[in-house]
Amino acid sequence: MKGWMHLAALIAGLLAVGAPAQAEPEAPAPSHYVDPFIGTDGTGHTFPGPALPFGMIQPGPDNAESGWEYTSGYQYRAPQIIGFSHTRASGTGIPELGDVLLMPSATRRAAMASGKADEVARAGYYAVTLPDNGVRVELTASLRSAMHRYTFTQGGRVWVLVDLQHGLTFRTDEQPVQSIANRFGPDSFEGEALRRNWTTRTIAWSVRFNRPIAAVETLPSREGDAAPRYMLAFDLPAGERTLLVKAGMATTDAPGARGNRDEVFGWDFDALAAAARAEWDALLSRATIEGPERQQRIFTTALYHAFLHPSVVSDADGRFRGPDGTIRTAPTGHLRYSTFSLWDTFRAAHPLYTLLVPERVDDFVASLLDHQQAAGRLPKWPIWGGETGTMIGEPALPVIAEAWAKGFRSFDGQRALAAMVATSTRDAAPVYAGDHSISQWSLYDRYGYYPTDVTGGEAVSRSLEAGIGDAATSRMAAMLGDKAEAKRFGKRAESWRKLIDPETRLARGRDAAGKWRDPFDPLTPTSPLNNPGDYTEANAWQYTWTPALHDPEGLVKALGGTKAAGAMLDRFFFELPVTKGAEYLGQEAMIGQYAHGNEPSHHVAWLYAYTDRPERTPELVRKIAEQFYRDTPDGLVGNEDAGQMSAWYVFATLGFYPLDLVSANYVAGLPLTPRAVLRVPGREVLTIEHAGCDKGPVSAVLAGKPYPAAALPHAALVKGGTLVLSGCAKR
């Protein structure tokens, strides 16, 4: 028996040698892990419709046209779809855009809203069945153009609702449509409107169908309508059940929208969807990680969300409309952008762009400078080319200075500094009635802070965030050799010290006479729209850490040194109670008083690196990432804010974070993955490895050279090599 067993084994071995080896299964393309539904249920306010990276157009489903829940037009749990509009922002706190709503139906219905079924969303593609309307809707996009494919349950005459009144609005008490003109062609319509909501803006459109329009019915105006709605009829040929639509939008005029529409030649929907997915795959492959599929979905979708904005606003011919209403032209080969949620994104999203999409950074900055040239000051929160005036401080300043500090030189440094100085010295005019969030430098310079009894509100937050901008302007001047301006703004950047109360060591308001706010409740959050007070969507505990964004060592010293600051951070995270019932004030996704649902807290866990207990940083970062990010529709807790929430997660996964932005250094933690690889065109490959010890102070070694955990240089990272992050260091 043993002989036969040996012979059988020999034959089996020979057969195995002669058989072709089985190929290793190919790794899925990065877009395989993208789930656009993440963040669409609850307060994430993302949208599932298709868009290209930093694209102008975002066609997608709308469930409503007003309400805080529908700032992107969509909520996962909403049972009905009212139509498909073409523009939106991802994860904002105020509704805007939502232009040119279309809604198909196999029959002419008095009410065109429909239930939904079989929703599908992936990078560059969205589809849904509308059972009440007898149609399957599919959407895809190019950089500036959207394409729809409607497949009806029956042929013959079919219908499309065109609603030009529709838009995503929060001022339901005011008429958003200021003026409008629309014109029909045999198979198309186009026009322009001036709309006023969050901002005042021009929207132009050009929409074309692949079949002639058989009939146009103008619908009766509803109460409050200032723009027309139409029912368009189409006669499908025998045996055909499909209607295709191409739509272009523009900030300029109808010819601009038409040119944007026609950047897509032909009517091959599947080819366009494939091209969109291929473009996403190319971009998402710049940062890959090892890990389970769930983590891959969260990480890759975070990259996807971070790369939706800022959005291109320059037309295919280079023209764009600025905040003054004037049409300008971008230099050949360059793009202009809007939808800069700067108060949010200066913290992590813009630093991420310098790391992963460096080819766009110079044009981002040029877009900010063009805005300043048109409006007289740098923007705070522009969308579709117009300024909203939302939030506080001057958050464009650190974005510009950080770009220069990291070596970006395709914008004029002296022009940038002049824009920064102008924005930091000239009082801003209110953008809307009752606007007190503006920079009032004459008042600030008089007192060295914004007094609580003279300022309209948010006095402490405004004072502390002024320091972020002043430090950025000072460093920009120093890099350009302007010693006088560097000294001037460097001194003013120290003004935060006037508001650190020596008794509580918290940032506390003072009046014009210098008296401290009394009574003082450091745990009550305030917000200008809901509970006016000294802070912006936060409280004293949460805003006290703000100076660390430009002077972490100085703040730690002011709080009593490394041990005292560490103890304060411990109290902040582990001893103070969680705020209940104030999600609308930014109080969600909380650990103690840390509120990850809003941006003022985003850097705080990384500040431990400057204290006597640096091991807390990787512990807390992992806890935040695992507790507040999921691969489900409710997987984002708090507004996505045009990429900021996702950018935080990307940095956390890679194992470092841009705490002191303009220093061009990162604070090292521990990666949430065993291995990550960054492959950015034009740069050497950077491999990041988590080597041993999950607890303890962090050591950082890049290309064999050790670096301080609190000063990992961007310049070294972009040269590539292997970055080994370990928790085995000694204090």
Side-chain angles (χ1 to χ4, degrees):
M1 290 293 294
K2 289 182 180 179
W4 281 105
M5 291 172 64
H6 285 304
L7 180 60
L10 177 61
I11 294 170
L14 291 171
L15 290 173
V17 171
Q22 289 189 345
E24 290 288 329
E26 288 189 13
S31 63
H32 167 79
Y33 297 111
V34 172
D35 183 357
F37 287 117
I38 292 176
T40 60
D41 184 7
T43 59
H45 293 184
T46 59
F47 62 86
L52 254 61
F54 308 101
M56 173 184 281
I57 198 162
Q58 306 86 18
D62 289 352
N63 308 125
E65 61 182 19
S66 64
W68 184 77
E69 297 88 350
Y70 297 98
T71 60
S72 74
Y74 181 86
Q75 278 285 334
Y76 184 78
R77 294 187 189 183
Q80 284 196 321
I81 291 174
I82 63 174
F84 303 88
S85 64
H86 292 84
T87 53
R88 67 199 74 242
S90 176
T92 60
I94 297 177
E96 181 57 279
L97 307 181
D99 297 304
V100 188
L101 182 133
L102 305 180
M103 185 60 158
S105 180
T107 59
R108 192 188 189 290
R109 304 179 63 226
M112 293 285 278
S114 173
K116 61 181 183 177
D118 302 321
E119 266 188 305
V120 174
R122 56 179 180 258
Y125 176 83
Y126 170 86
V128 65
T129 295
L130 305 178
D132 300 323
N133 292 12
V135 63
R136 178 75 170 170
V137 175
E138 297 171 278
L139 305 174
T140 190
S142 69
L143 183 66
R144 301 181 179 89
S145 180
M147 187 177 287
H148 305 222
R149 181 164 65 189
Y150 306 146
T151 303
F152 297 93
T153 55
Q154 65 187 50
R157 176 154 288 196
V158 295
W159 302 84
V160 176
L161 167 70
V162 176
D163 188 344
L164 299 179
Q165 176 67 36
H166 176 83
L168 303 176
T169 62
F170 81 106
R171 293 301 304 269
T172 56
D173 58 329
E174 292 188 359
Q175 174 56 249
V177 181
Q178 305 299 297
S179 63
I180 189 166
N182 184 69
R183 302 165 292 278
F184 280 97
D187 60 357
S188 62
F189 67 92
E190 61 184 31
E192 306 94 5
L194 181 67
R195 297 185 71 103
R196 184 173 64 198
N197 177 48
W198 191 13
T199 190
T200 298
R201 62 190 178 90
T202 295
I203 173 68
W205 58 88
S206 183
V207 179
R208 186 183 177 195
F209 302 88
N210 73 327
R211 305 191 187 281
I213 301 171
V216 177
E217 297 182 20
T218 302
L219 297 176
S221 293
R222 303 163 298 186
E223 182 179 356
D225 278 358
R229 296 179 304 131
Y230 306 99
M231 288 293 291
L232 308 185
F234 298 86
D235 293 327
L236 303 183
E240 292 287 337
R241 294 189 301 149
T242 301
L243 179 67
L244 293 168
V245 189
K246 283 195 293 190
M249 305 288 138
T251 66
T252 52
D253 48 32
R258 193 184 317 133
N260 294 340
R261 180 198 75 190
D262 290 342
E263 76 173 3
V264 174
F265 297 99
W267 294 94
D268 192 335
F269 181 94
D270 292 327
L272 186 61
R277 188 164 189 170
E279 186 161 341
W280 275 112
D281 279 328
L283 185 59
L284 297 172
S285 67
R286 295 186 181 189
T288 58
I289 64 169
E290 294 180 358
E293 184 151 329
R294 176 183 178 274
Q295 185 184 21
Q296 298 271 14
R297 282 195 296 272
I298 298 171
F299 178 80
T300 311
T301 303
L303 278 176
Y304 169 84
H305 281 143
F307 294 155
L308 288 172
H309 299 305
S311 298
V312 169
V313 289
S314 50
D315 292 343
D317 63 5
R319 296 183 305 140
F320 64 98
R321 191 182 298 271
D324 59 350
T326 300
I327 295 176
R328 296 172 172 83
T329 302
T332 302
H334 292 269
L335 298 168
R336 289 298 177 263
Y337 297 85
S338 193
T339 310
F340 287 95
S341 184
L342 290 165
W343 183 81
D344 308 292
T345 57
F346 84 86
R347 304 164 195 267
H350 279 279
L352 187 66
Y353 304 146
T354 68
L355 188 68
L356 294 181
V357 287
E359 72 276 13
R360 294 186 185 264
V361 171
D362 287 297
D363 279 354
F364 288 163
V365 174
S367 300
L368 302 177
L369 298 180
D370 284 351
H371 184 108
Q372 188 275 334
Q373 183 178 5
R377 63 187 311 104
L378 291 163
K380 289 205 293 185
W381 213 128
I383 187 168
W384 205 251
E387 176 64 272
T388 67
T390 301
M391 305 313 295
I392 62 171
E394 299 294 349
L397 299 172
V399 171
I400 296 169
E402 180 196 26
W404 196 264
K406 290 181 174 178
F408 292 91
R409 293 293 184 270
S410 293
F411 63 93
D412 186 331
Q414 292 297 336
R415 179 192 178 200
L417 178 60
M420 295 170 75
V421 170
T423 302
S424 302
T425 54
R426 300 173 188 169
D427 285 356
V431 176
Y432 52 86
D435 181 10
H436 64 258
S437 66
I438 55 176
S439 296
Q440 299 169 286
W441 299 118
S442 57
L443 180 66
Y444 187 80
D445 287 339
R446 179 179 176 185
Y447 296 99
Y449 56 90
Y450 286 112
T452 56
D453 57 336
V454 180
T455 306
E458 304 169 273
V460 175
S461 295
R462 290 171 61 193
S463 298
L464 297 181
E465 297 214 11
I468 300 171
D470 286 341
T473 304
S474 173
R475 292 180 181 182
M476 185 70 174
M479 287 185 286
L480 291 168
D482 191 331
K483 296 180 180 179
E485 293 290 40
K487 181 178 180 181
R488 174 190 181 189
F489 287 100
K491 180 179 179 180
R492 201 170 74 172
E494 296 283 325
S495 295
W496 60 269
R497 298 177 183 277
K498 297 183 175 71
L499 295 185
I500 300 298
D501 172 18
E503 180 182 350
T504 64
R505 289 182 177 166
L506 295 174
R508 183 174 179 179
R510 304 177 76 170
D511 64 16
K515 296 180 181 178
W516 295 105
R517 166 72 76 181
D518 190 37
F520 175 53
D521 180 357
L523 291 176
T524 297
T526 64
S527 172
L529 294 179
N530 298 292
N531 182 35
D534 294 341
Y535 306 94
T536 302
E537 300 176 4
N539 59 31
W541 269 100
Q542 291 157 358
Y543 249 97
T544 293
W545 315 108
T546 297
L549 291 170
H550 62 95
D551 189 4
E553 295 96 338
L555 178 62
V556 166
K557 186 176 181 180
L559 297 180
T562 59
K563 184 176 181 180
M568 277 189 69
L569 284 167
D570 279 355
R571 187 180 178 202
F572 179 70
F573 279 101
F574 306 119
E575 299 174 22
L576 294 175
V578 169
T579 302
K580 301 289 187 179
E583 290 82 3
Y584 57 93
L585 292 170
Q587 307 300 295
E588 57 182 333
M590 299 192 74
I591 300 173
Q593 273 298 300
Y594 176 87
H596 193 69
N598 208 17
E599 280 68 20
S601 288
H602 276 193
H603 66 289
V604 182
W606 303 89
L607 185 56
Y608 272 110
Y610 291 87
T611 73
D612 68 332
R613 53 205 81 183
E615 68 276 6
R616 294 274 201 273
T617 286
E619 294 172 6
L620 280 164
V621 167
R622 178 175 289 276
K623 183 175 182 178
I624 294 164
E626 293 180 348
Q627 191 166 328
F628 302 130
Y629 293 84
R630 299 182 293 275
D631 63 338
T632 54
D634 63 350
L636 288 173
V637 186
N639 292 167
E640 163 66 6
D641 285 322
Q644 170 60 25
M645 193 71 74
S646 289
W648 187 96
Y649 183 86
V650 172
F651 273 121
T653 304
L654 297 179
F656 51 89
Y657 189 82
L659 191 149
D660 182 359
L661 301 160
V662 187
S663 71
N665 290 328
Y666 301 94
V667 171
L670 292 177
L672 305 182
T673 173
R675 188 171 184 266
V677 181
L678 306 188
R679 301 177 182 87
V680 178
R683 292 178 177 171
E684 296 298 319
V685 173
L686 174 66
T687 301
I688 303 163
E689 295 180 350
H690 182 175
C693 301
D694 287 330
K695 296 181 179 180
V698 172
S699 69
V701 178
L702 176 57
K705 179 180 178 180
Y707 288 93
L712 183 59
H714 177 86
L717 291 177
V718 299
K719 291 178 181 177
T722 298
L723 170 64
V724 179
L725 297 172
S726 168
C728 302
K730 296 181 180 180
R731 287 190 184 179

